[in-house]
Amino acid sequence: MIIEALIAVTFLAALVVFVAPDEYAGRLAAALSALPVLGSLWMWAQYDASGNALLGGSIAFETDFVWLTLGSLDLHWFVGVDGISLPLVVLTTILSTLAIISAWTPISERQSQFYGLMLFMEANLLGVFTALDFFAWFVFWEAVLVPMYFLIGVWGGPNRRYAAIKFFVYTNVASLVMFIGFIALVFGLGDSVSSMRLPEIAQALRAGELAGFAGLNAGMLKTVAFVAMFLGFAVKVPVAPLHTWLPDAHVEAPTPVSVMLAGVLLKMGTYALLRFNFTMMPDVATALVVPIAGIAVISVIYGALLALAQQDLKRIVAYSSVSSMGYVILGLVAYTTYGVGGATFQMIAHGLISGLMFMAVGVIYNTTHTRMVGDMSGIADRMPVTAGIFVAGAFGYMGLPLMAGFAGEFFIFKGSFASTVHSGMPLFTAAAMFGIVIVAGYLLFAMQRTLFGPFSFDGDYEITTAPMQDVAPLAVLLLLVIVLGVAPDLFFGMIQDAVNPILTGGGL
């Protein structure tokens, strides 16, 4: 029952913080959020499952019972983790705590409500990564949108309401499209399934038990459902051209919220693509390999070029996330152990590095009250620790060896070059690798203009060393990026074990 305890404790912590006085809310939230961190690390230390949770593998920390019956379908409370979901659970708990600590400086109004919503969002994120019944999973999936909407709309920048509404509309419509696609599959399976448990549905689909529905034969139904679900999840990733909500959300959101948005919420999309599209319907994914790989490459290059054109540090990091998620899609569609495993590992690596970069930009903004590249230069002399961590994080984004980003991209490129799903995969991979050059261009440009050279600052604020409460979360994230880069097998071994069953059967 550790997963239920993890989710319940986080929900309870959110309620406690909601009613706490503002002056204690930040410290109380950080202390209470440490409990899920300890729980997730205990789960990692005790993990002994094998295989894929959806394809007959053993499920760690499993709970499964019927809690509601709708006609011929049973709705289960079914939770558990495998080597794909457990690393994301650990990422969620750690990043949530660090984001809460990073909010101590910039958040000064309605603090109890802010920190309560952060914890409420964390609880629902844990549900997304552990639920194995579609109904429970979808409830958690949708519930994540609510706190994010208010966190942007109440504590965000001047255009916060526009950004919050745009975020909510985009992601909610995408959820509807995805929901229709999945439910069509459930109706098409008919009596082949007795519940909405994801393992039961995945195994029925891979066994070819899908029948026609709504005038569509089985093959067409599966293709239409795959496309609908892909589009729904792709908005959350996001991939080009479905990414336009992301820069506005990042720019207007307070820094701790941007950390969670880039570090964890975007991973909901790639996690769902892996769990649903690429695990349940590999035959359709391989049939559509060219458009999917094309979307991945376009996202990598286009996102990087957009980042290169920005002057706002937050927009630069936001568009770089679009580029990085393109690599994840490329690894998934490669259908090799290193491709799919590398894509999963890259979710963790990008979560840490993007969180680090947004947090570093936030620390600079707390002192300078600007994020524009042209408004400052040479600030490394005044903020040496922050600047040093920013540079280290940027090199991690560029794929510096012995950092987590290098390991993730290396695994993806190794798996994609070796892919046999289509003869053009090496060409797609080579094109995507060009994105690394552009990444180096915009990050080096931003660092050179803001951190180095003669000191200049177009503002009235005194630039001084950031306080320890701002720097400490940055240092922890940088340490984790290095540790995971030096020892990727801390997660990659369990990830490989969980992705291998995806690569056999199911029409592959």
Side-chain angles (χ1 to χ4, degrees), residues 94-435:
I94 292 176
L95 210 54
S96 295
T97 298
L98 296 177
I100 286 171
I101 295 172
S102 74
W104 290 354
T105 297
I107 303 301
S108 57
E109 297 180 353
R110 305 172 73 170
Q111 295 180 46
S112 59
Q113 297 171 32
F114 178 88
Y115 292 111
L117 286 170
M118 288 284 284
L119 288 166
F120 182 75
M121 181 169 63
E122 178 187 359
N124 285 292
L125 285 166
L126 292 173
V128 168
F129 295 130
T130 57
L132 293 171
D133 178 90
F134 179 78
F135 184 80
W137 176 87
F138 189 72
V139 169
F140 286 124
W141 175 273
E142 288 294 280
V144 169
L145 303 182
V146 178
M148 181 57 72
Y149 170 80
F150 286 108
L151 287 167
I152 297 173
V154 176
W155 288 272
N159 295 319
R160 58 187 180 274
R161 291 180 178 83
Y162 168 77
I165 292 171
K166 189 175 183 180
F167 160 78
F168 194 85
V169 169
Y170 264 71
T171 52
N172 210 31
V173 170
S175 295
L176 175 62
V177 173
M178 173 272 294
F179 182 83
I180 292 172
F182 185 83
I183 293 301
L185 290 176
V186 174
F187 281 119
L189 288 169
D191 294 335
S192 300
V193 294
S194 59
S195 72
M196 298 182 76
R197 298 189 310 162
L198 300 184
E200 184 177 352
I201 291 171
Q203 292 168 41
L205 286 170
R206 289 173 70 105
E209 297 177 9
L210 184 68
F213 175 69
L216 302 174
N217 61 38
M220 183 59 68
L221 174 61
K222 188 185 282 191
T223 300
V224 170
F226 182 98
V227 171
M229 294 165 67
F230 185 92
L231 290 174
F233 296 138
V235 170
K236 187 80 79 175
V237 173
V239 299
L242 305 174
H243 66 285
T244 56
W245 63 270
L246 182 67
D248 292 320
H250 271 309
V251 168
E252 299 304 324
T255 296
V257 178
S258 288
V259 170
M260 292 302 295
L261 178 58
V264 185
L265 264 73
L266 302 190
K267 311 308 175 290
M268 291 169 57
T270 49
Y271 170 79
L273 280 172
L274 175 55
R275 279 295 199 213
F276 290 84
N277 291 66
F278 292 95
T279 297
M280 295 182 180
M281 296 173 281
D283 51 336
V284 182
T286 52
L288 298 176
V289 61
V290 172
I292 294 174
I295 289 171
V297 173
I298 290 170
S299 295
V300 169
I301 303 299
Y302 185 61
L305 289 174
L306 286 174
L308 186 63
Q310 305 304 312
Q311 296 293 319
D312 185 318
L313 288 174
K314 238 187 177 186
R315 280 190 178 271
I316 291 173
V317 182
Y319 280 117
S320 70
S321 290
V322 177
S323 182
S324 295
M325 290 297 96
Y327 289 123
V328 175
I329 303 297
L330 184 67
L332 292 178
V333 79
Y335 273 105
T336 59
T337 300
Y338 276 99
V340 181
T344 308
F345 186 90
Q346 180 69 354
M347 295 182 207
I348 312 303
H350 179 265
L352 295 173
I353 297 173
S354 64
L356 170 62
M357 294 297 288
F358 273 113
M359 209 175 282
V361 171
V363 173
I364 293 172
Y365 180 79
N366 292 341
T367 300
T368 64
H369 297 268
T370 181
R371 297 187 302 263
M372 303 306 294
V373 172
D375 289 349
M376 52 189 162
S377 67
I379 65 171
D381 288 341
R382 311 292 176 95
M383 306 179 70
V385 177
T386 303
I389 294 176
F390 185 93
V391 170
F395 279 109
Y397 235 131
M398 295 180 215
L400 186 72
L402 300 183
M403 301 186 84
F406 171 81
E409 291 175 1
F410 173 78
F411 294 148
I412 289 172
F413 294 148
K414 177 180 172 65
S416 298
F417 270 121
S419 176
T420 59
V421 295
H422 190 273
S423 60
M425 278 302 291
L427 293 177
F428 284 116
T429 308
M433 291 181 73
F434 183 70

Side-chain angles (χ1 to χ4, degrees), residues 442-464:
Y442 64 71
L443 288 176
L444 290 172
F445 166 78
M447 289 190 296
Q448 181 63 37
R449 290 285 303 277
T450 58
L451 304 180
F452 306 114
F455 176 76
S456 140
F457 176 53
D458 186 15
D460 299 326
Y461 300 93
E462 182 181 359
I463 299 179
T464 58

